[in-house]
Amino acid sequence: MYNLLKGKRGIIFGALDENSIAWKTAERIHEEGGTFVLTNAPAAMRLGNIDALAEKVGCQIIPADATSISDLESLVDKAVEILGGKIDFVLHSIGMSVNVRKGNHYTNQNYEFTEKGWNVSAVSFHKLMQVLYKKDAMNEWGSIIALSYMAAQRVFPDYNDMADNKAFLESVARSFGYFFGRDKKVRVNTISQSPTATRAGQGVKGFGGFIAFADKMSPLGNATAAECADYIVVMFSDLTRKVTLQNLLHDGGFSNMGVSQEVMEMFE
C-alpha cells in the first residue's frame, strides 16, 4: 500500500454487495488512506449488504435517491459535514434498465421504463455534478468517475437500452467535465470496464457466454472488479491530475481487437 489517497475525502455510489466494483473500490480506497461516505437508493440498499461494508471500512451510510436533486443536495451537505471538508473524489457506479429486467426486447421497449433507466443510469450523473458544482463542494484537482461499458460505441444486442444510457452517460461526463475543469479544476472521466460479474451485469441476457467470449478476445483477459478498483484509485490520486474528459478503456485490450486466434480456432 502506498497511501495514494491519504487525507482525501469522497462519496461512493453503488456499493450494493461484495461483487460490485464500488464495493471493491471502497475497500481499496480505505487501504490507501482515503475516507468516504457510502450512498445508494433506499430501495437498492434493501437488496444488498452495504451495512457490512460500512462496518468493515468504518464509514457512514447516507441513503439518497440519485435521481432526486433534494436528496443529492442533502447527501453532499452531510458528506462535507461528516468528512470535515470539501470532497476530493466521487464514484458514480449505478445503472438500471427496467426493460432488461422485464425482458423487453430493444425493438419493443416500454418507454416509461426507458425513461426510468436513463434517469437512474445517466441523468443522475448530471444531477450529481450539478449539485456538486453549484455548492462548490469539490476541492481543486478533485476527480469524478462514472462507470461505463463499450456498448456505448459498439453493438451488443442483448445489452438493450443500457447501451443508450451509457452513451448518454459518457456525453454528460465530457460536457459537464469541461465546465468542471475550466471553473473548478476538477477532472471528470468515465471508465469503460470489461464485462464483470456484478449483480447488474448478470441481469443481461447471455452474459455468461459473452464474458467468456470477451476473455478469449482480450490479449490480457478480462479486467476483474478488483482490478478496476485499482484503476479507480489511481484516477482518484494526484498521479492523474491532468486526465479529464476521457472514456478510459479498462478491458484487457478487447476494444482494439478485430478477432483473436483463440476465437478463430472456434470456427475452424
Side-chain angles (χ1 to χ4, degrees), residues 149-150 154 191-196 210-211 213-225 227-228 231 248-260 262:
Y149 182 55
M150 200 175 60
R154 300 187 186 180
I191 292 177
S192 187
Q193 165 72 358
S194 295
T196 309
F210 179 65
I211 197 170
F213 169 77
D215 199 51
K216 287 184 178 296
M217 278 286 289
S218 308
L220 296 180
N222 289 333
T224 66
E227 288 166 337
C228 189
Y231 193 22
L248 302 160
L249 296 157
H250 188 249
D251 60 7
F254 180 90
S255 50
N256 271 330
M257 292 296 295
V259 69
S260 69
E262 290 82 357

XYZ file of all heavy atoms in Angstrom, residues 149-150 154 191-196 210-211 213-225 227-228 231 248-260 262:
312
model
N -19.532 1.248 -20.277
C -19.274 -0.010 -20.972
C -19.206 0.262 -22.471
O -19.842 1.187 -22.975
C -20.365 -1.045 -20.656
C -20.124 -2.378 -21.315
C -18.922 -3.044 -21.120
C -21.077 -2.940 -22.147
C -18.672 -4.246 -21.742
C -20.844 -4.149 -22.775
C -19.633 -4.802 -22.564
O -19.376 -5.992 -23.188
N -18.452 -0.555 -23.196
C -18.178 -0.288 -24.595
C -19.405 -0.385 -25.494
O -19.367 0.006 -26.663
C -17.089 -1.227 -25.105
C -16.413 -0.718 -26.361
S -15.031 -1.752 -26.867
C -15.854 -3.305 -27.129
N -20.322 0.414 -29.535
C -20.472 -0.727 -30.436
C -21.725 -1.508 -30.088
O -22.238 -1.409 -28.977
C -19.241 -1.640 -30.342
C -17.953 -0.942 -30.727
C -16.805 -1.911 -30.791
N -15.536 -1.229 -31.021
C -14.380 -1.850 -31.124
N -14.314 -3.167 -31.029
N -13.268 -1.156 -31.332
N -14.926 5.242 -16.979
C -14.114 4.045 -17.181
C -14.994 2.985 -17.824
O -16.036 2.607 -17.280
C -13.527 3.533 -15.856
C -12.483 4.519 -15.323
C -12.904 2.144 -16.045
C -11.888 4.134 -13.987
N -14.575 2.539 -19.013
C -15.293 1.504 -19.739
C -14.664 0.163 -19.387
O -13.601 -0.193 -19.882
C -15.201 1.785 -21.242
O -16.007 0.890 -21.969
N -15.338 -0.558 -18.520
C -14.816 -1.762 -17.903
C -15.172 -3.011 -18.702
O -16.183 -3.046 -19.412
C -15.379 -1.856 -16.471
C -15.250 -3.176 -15.762
C -13.822 -3.505 -15.335
O -12.900 -2.753 -15.595
N -13.646 -4.634 -14.681
N -14.341 -4.044 -18.597
C -14.683 -5.360 -19.139
C -16.026 -5.825 -18.586
O -16.451 -5.382 -17.507
C -13.637 -6.396 -18.721
O -12.379 -6.137 -19.273
N -16.708 -6.736 -19.283
C -17.903 -7.331 -18.675
C -17.509 -7.968 -17.343
O -16.531 -8.715 -17.267
C -18.354 -8.374 -19.700
C -17.162 -8.614 -20.557
C -16.387 -7.343 -20.576
N -18.242 -7.636 -16.308
C -17.866 -8.017 -14.950
C -19.069 -8.655 -14.253
O -20.200 -8.175 -14.390
C -17.408 -6.773 -14.152
O -16.430 -6.064 -14.915
C -16.814 -7.159 -12.814
N -21.037 -14.186 -23.049
C -20.296 -13.017 -23.513
C -19.040 -12.785 -22.695
O -17.997 -12.415 -23.242
C -21.156 -11.757 -23.497
C -20.377 -10.564 -23.955
C -19.917 -10.500 -25.249
C -20.035 -9.558 -23.080
C -19.143 -9.436 -25.687
C -19.263 -8.494 -23.499
C -18.823 -8.423 -24.803
N -19.095 -12.992 -21.379
C -17.898 -12.767 -20.566
C -16.796 -13.746 -20.981
O -15.616 -13.391 -21.008
C -18.226 -12.862 -19.055
C -17.118 -12.219 -18.234
C -18.484 -14.272 -18.593
C -17.471 -12.042 -16.759
N -16.497 -15.023 -24.083
C -16.051 -14.546 -25.394
C -15.076 -13.378 -25.243
O -14.016 -13.344 -25.878
C -17.269 -14.107 -26.212
C -16.917 -13.363 -27.468
C -16.467 -14.042 -28.592
C -17.041 -11.983 -27.533
C -16.146 -13.355 -29.762
C -16.727 -11.292 -28.689
C -16.275 -11.986 -29.810
N -15.425 -12.404 -24.379
C -14.562 -11.239 -24.181
C -13.202 -11.648 -23.634
O -12.178 -11.076 -24.000
C -15.243 -10.236 -23.237
N -13.199 -12.635 -22.769
C -11.941 -13.101 -22.196
C -11.042 -13.713 -23.268
O -9.819 -13.508 -23.263
C -12.230 -14.126 -21.095
C -11.059 -14.306 -20.148
O -10.542 -13.291 -19.643
O -10.663 -15.456 -19.906
N -11.632 -14.435 -24.224
C -10.857 -15.031 -25.315
C -10.414 -13.992 -26.336
O -9.413 -14.169 -27.027
C -11.669 -16.129 -26.006
C -11.816 -17.402 -25.185
C -12.534 -18.470 -25.958
C -12.639 -19.767 -25.144
N -11.325 -20.359 -24.871
N -11.152 -12.903 -26.436
C -10.815 -11.843 -27.387
C -9.727 -10.913 -26.857
O -9.007 -10.283 -27.634
C -12.060 -11.016 -27.707
C -12.942 -11.637 -28.764
S -12.248 -11.493 -30.428
C -12.458 -9.731 -30.721
N -9.607 -10.814 -25.553
C -8.711 -9.827 -24.941
C -7.330 -10.422 -24.720
O -7.203 -11.447 -24.046
C -9.284 -9.370 -23.589
O -10.617 -8.941 -23.726
N -6.281 -9.800 -25.250
C -4.934 -10.360 -25.072
C -4.514 -10.479 -23.613
O -3.730 -11.366 -23.264
C -4.029 -9.381 -25.834
C -4.844 -8.163 -26.072
C -6.268 -8.595 -26.111
N -5.026 -9.617 -22.759
C -4.703 -9.702 -21.330
C -5.831 -10.341 -20.520
O -5.729 -10.447 -19.302
C -4.416 -8.303 -20.774
C -3.205 -7.574 -21.347
C -3.054 -6.197 -20.707
C -1.926 -8.389 -21.154
N -6.895 -10.747 -21.186
C -8.044 -11.289 -20.473
C -8.900 -10.178 -19.885
O -8.529 -9.001 -19.876
N -10.070 -10.536 -19.410
C -10.976 -9.557 -18.819
C -10.380 -8.931 -17.561
O -9.705 -9.601 -16.773
C -12.307 -10.212 -18.445
C -13.140 -10.587 -19.649
O -13.024 -9.977 -20.710
N -13.991 -11.600 -19.487
N -10.662 -7.656 -17.374
C -10.297 -6.979 -16.128
C -11.342 -7.298 -15.066
O -12.546 -7.225 -15.322
C -10.229 -5.470 -16.354
N -10.891 -7.652 -13.882
C -11.804 -8.002 -12.798
C -12.295 -6.740 -12.071
O -11.767 -5.638 -12.273
C -11.104 -8.903 -11.774
O -10.054 -8.139 -11.130
C -10.506 -10.145 -12.426
N -13.289 -6.933 -11.205
C -13.786 -5.818 -10.394
C -12.680 -5.273 -9.498
O -12.550 -4.053 -9.325
C -14.986 -6.279 -9.556
N -9.456 -5.330 -10.073
C -8.504 -4.591 -10.898
C -9.059 -3.235 -11.300
O -8.326 -2.243 -11.397
C -8.137 -5.430 -12.122
C -7.255 -6.620 -11.780
C -7.142 -7.649 -12.882
O -8.054 -7.715 -13.745
O -6.153 -8.401 -12.885
N -10.370 -3.178 -11.531
C -10.996 -1.890 -11.823
C -10.891 -0.962 -10.619
O -10.643 0.243 -10.771
C -12.463 -2.085 -12.215
S -13.259 -0.595 -12.836
N -7.594 0.678 -10.622
C -7.537 1.747 -11.622
C -8.232 3.006 -11.116
O -7.739 4.129 -11.274
C -8.184 1.247 -12.915
C -7.949 2.095 -14.143
C -6.876 2.966 -14.249
C -8.801 1.987 -15.236
C -6.659 3.719 -15.391
C -8.592 2.731 -16.380
C -7.521 3.603 -16.457
O -7.324 4.336 -17.589
N -12.044 6.005 -20.469
C -10.843 5.206 -20.283
C -11.180 3.718 -20.389
O -11.967 3.198 -19.609
C -10.220 5.533 -18.923
C -9.869 7.016 -18.746
C -9.720 7.359 -17.276
C -8.616 7.363 -19.521
N -10.573 3.059 -21.361
C -10.896 1.657 -21.645
C -10.076 0.729 -20.763
O -8.849 0.683 -20.868
C -10.647 1.377 -23.127
C -11.569 2.178 -24.063
C -10.947 2.301 -25.445
C -12.943 1.551 -24.143
N -10.757 -0.002 -19.904
C -10.111 -0.914 -18.964
C -10.656 -2.312 -19.237
O -11.528 -2.813 -18.542
C -10.414 -0.458 -17.525
C -9.657 -1.213 -16.488
N -10.260 -2.091 -15.621
C -8.340 -1.232 -16.178
C -9.354 -2.609 -14.809
N -8.187 -2.109 -15.126
N -10.124 -2.918 -20.307
C -10.779 -4.122 -20.821
C -9.806 -5.175 -21.341
O -10.175 -6.027 -22.146
C -11.760 -3.737 -21.926
C -11.094 -3.029 -23.107
O -9.843 -2.956 -23.128
O -11.811 -2.550 -23.997
N -8.559 -5.123 -20.908
C -7.588 -6.128 -21.329
C -7.223 -6.069 -22.800
O -6.638 -7.010 -23.334
N -7.591 -4.967 -23.464
C -7.284 -4.825 -24.885
C -8.424 -5.179 -25.815
O -8.312 -5.042 -27.036
N -9.547 -5.621 -25.263
C -10.697 -6.057 -26.071
C -11.113 -5.013 -27.104
O -11.405 -5.328 -28.255
C -11.875 -6.372 -25.142
C -13.123 -6.825 -25.851
C -13.344 -8.167 -26.098
C -14.091 -5.912 -26.251
C -14.496 -8.588 -26.741
C -15.245 -6.324 -26.908
C -15.440 -7.661 -27.155
N -11.134 -3.750 -26.705
C -11.683 -2.680 -27.542
C -10.896 -2.439 -28.820
O -11.431 -1.857 -29.771
C -11.767 -1.378 -26.736
O -10.535 -1.108 -26.095
N -9.646 -2.878 -28.895
C -8.852 -2.687 -30.110
C -8.677 -3.963 -30.930
O -7.921 -3.988 -31.901
C -7.473 -2.109 -29.769
C -7.479 -0.597 -29.749
O -8.255 0.033 -30.464
N -6.627 -0.013 -28.935
N -9.387 -5.009 -30.545
C -9.273 -6.282 -31.256
C -10.305 -6.389 -32.368
O -11.444 -5.938 -32.223
C -9.471 -7.452 -30.280
C -8.364 -7.606 -29.253
S -6.774 -7.991 -30.003
C -7.145 -9.608 -30.691
N -9.866 -6.993 -33.485
C -10.813 -7.386 -34.516
C -11.251 -8.815 -34.264
O -12.433 -9.120 -34.153
N -10.275 -9.688 -34.137
C -10.534 -11.074 -33.773
C -9.250 -11.628 -33.167
O -8.151 -11.129 -33.451
C -10.967 -11.901 -35.005
C -9.807 -12.090 -35.976
C -11.558 -13.252 -34.604
N -9.387 -12.621 -32.323
C -8.210 -13.256 -31.725
C -8.041 -14.662 -32.288
O -8.984 -15.269 -32.809
C -8.358 -13.335 -30.199
O -9.370 -14.261 -29.845
N -7.668 -17.309 -30.610
C -8.489 -18.223 -29.814
C -9.922 -18.286 -30.333
O -10.533 -19.359 -30.389
C -8.485 -17.783 -28.344
C -7.170 -17.985 -27.625
C -6.177 -16.862 -27.884
O -6.487 -15.934 -28.674
O -5.090 -16.906 -27.295
